[in-house]
Amino acid sequence: MPEMPEVESLAHFLSERCVGRAIARVELAAFSALKTYDPPLSALHGLEIDAVVRHGKFLDLSAQGLHLVFHLARAGWLRWRESLPETPLRPGKGPMALRVRLDDSSGFDLTEAGTQRKLAIYVVTDPMDIAMVATLGPDPLSPDFDLETLRAVLAGAGRAQLKGVLKDQRTIAGIGNAYSDEILHAARLSPFKPAGSLTEEELATLYRAVKEELTGAIARAEGLAAKDLKGEKKSGLRVHGRKGQVCAVCGDTIAEVSFADSALQYCPTCQTGGRKLADRRLSRLLK
Ligand SMILES: [Zn+2]
């Protein structure tokens, strides 16, 4: 799943290729992915793209007063094509969701793997018309995101667990399941620690980890083509998705807590004083 560092890199990648080009045609293959109907997709035809920006994990192609906004969700991806086939896209059951063709026949496809349909596409005159964009919390990459911002966010979250608070787009924008694991590992904090209970030192460490993990991931992704971002994200992670592997910091074995539809990974020695966290999926069944 692309998170902020990948979406930021995609925004750069698309900016370089799309800004100044006109949209020749937008073709929809997965009708359920389009969440708005007015203005229609065809309103974008002929408009020149003036910017590609990111809001949290949303990408926003701005074209002369209209915005094509999309969220890749868990299984979505963007594939850049230097030359798109001329044949029109046929709606169907495959992974293809949307094709954006530019005036030089280059463009990109949005695809979604698997059977869950979570990829979301919007055409709006103002990105703030999209509720999930309007309610985004502060962006950790913004220069305004200082220690006090994080302090306020965590204090407001009270007893809620750090892992969930970091992932909640309304409290902090752009962090998902993978980078929240990485940030908590770097900060040596338990994913289940109540957000409002951090000491001054823990708060400062967490702040540094948020900034460093995200800017580090963006630096690694810089200049990579869209197709290479996924592999880079995976290889750059130290704890997420690495259950059973050795923690590079302390040599302990990375552990996992699984939930109904997701899992988190952590290092017991680095993060929980050597304690194994209870598996939430099992304990819920036992209740
Ligand atoms: Zn460790």
Side-chain angles (χ1 to χ4, degrees):
M1 178 186 345
E3 294 180 35
M4 178 234 272
E6 295 78 48
V7 178
E8 177 80 9
S9 304
L10 283 174
H12 285 168
F13 180 88
L14 286 179
S15 283
E16 284 172 4
R17 285 158 181 82
C18 298
V19 171
R21 292 241 157 259
I23 298 171
R25 205 161 71 221
V26 184
E27 297 170 63
L28 184 66
F31 292 118
S32 63
L34 184 63
K35 306 301 177 193
T36 52
Y37 58 92
D38 183 29
L41 273 178
S42 59
L44 293 159
H45 295 174
L47 300 186
E48 187 180 309
I49 298 172
D50 40 61
V52 184
V53 298
R54 176 183 65 79
H55 312 283
K57 293 187 271 188
F58 289 82
L59 269 169
D60 173 3
L61 263 77
S62 158
Q64 298 183 288
L66 276 188
H67 298 259
L68 174 67
V69 179
F70 48 90
H71 188 280
L72 293 167
R74 187 174 286 191
W77 200 253
L78 182 147
R79 180 167 168 223
W80 177 260
R81 315 266 306 254
E82 289 299 338
S83 179
L84 286 166
E86 285 299 327
T87 45
L89 204 56
R90 287 229 310 272
K93 285 199 178 106
M96 187 69 78
L98 184 87
R99 170 168 291 166
V100 175
R101 179 192 299 274
L102 304 179
D103 56 1
D104 66 347
S105 285
S106 70
F108 61 87
D109 291 335
L110 299 185
T111 59
E112 187 172 29
T115 52
Q116 282 195 326
R117 290 287 167 249
K118 295 282 177 64
L119 190 143
I121 300 161
Y122 313 80
V123 182
V124 289
T125 51
D126 181 355
M128 291 302 146
D129 291 343
I130 303 164
M132 282 169 69
V133 172
T135 57
L136 284 171
D139 191 299
L141 280 195
S142 151
D144 300 338
F145 191 92
D146 56 11
L147 185 66
E148 294 316 308
T149 311
L150 184 64
R151 186 197 306 279
V153 161
L154 296 184
R159 299 287 307 162
Q161 294 165 342
L162 276 179
K163 169 78 181 176
V165 172
L166 288 178
K167 271 191 347 177
D168 186 340
Q169 300 304 295
R170 294 163 301 176
T171 44
I172 302 177
I175 299 173
N177 202 29
Y179 289 103
S180 54
D181 279 351
E182 296 300 300
I183 288 164
L184 290 169
H185 178 252
R188 306 179 71 92
L189 288 167
S190 166
F192 293 159
K193 194 173 175 65
S197 74
L198 266 57
T199 65
E200 204 48 38
E201 197 186 332
E202 287 170 334
L203 179 69
T205 308
L206 180 61
Y207 176 75
R208 253 195 329 273
V210 167
K211 288 276 189 185
E212 284 176 10
E213 290 302 311
L214 297 174
T215 50
I218 287 171
R220 289 194 301 273
E222 207 172 76
L224 286 184
K227 65 180 170 56
D228 299 324
L229 285 171
K230 238 190 278 192
E232 172 11 75
K233 176 185 174 189
K234 228 174 167 178
S235 65
L237 301 176
R238 284 186 306 258
V239 64
H240 183 76
R242 298 196 180 277
K243 178 193 175 188
Q245 298 180 28
V246 171
C247 170
V249 175
C250 73
D252 193 0
T253 304
I254 292 165
E256 175 174 276
V257 180
S258 39
F259 303 90
D261 62 349
S262 68
L264 67 81
Q265 288 84 34
Y266 68 103
C267 168
T269 297
C270 289
Q271 296 176 254
T272 55
R275 256 183 330 113
K276 277 282 194 72
L277 299 170
D279 190 302
R280 294 301 154 120
R281 188 173 47 182
L282 285 175
S283 44
R284 195 163 63 186
L285 287 175
L286 292 173
K287 262 181 201 165

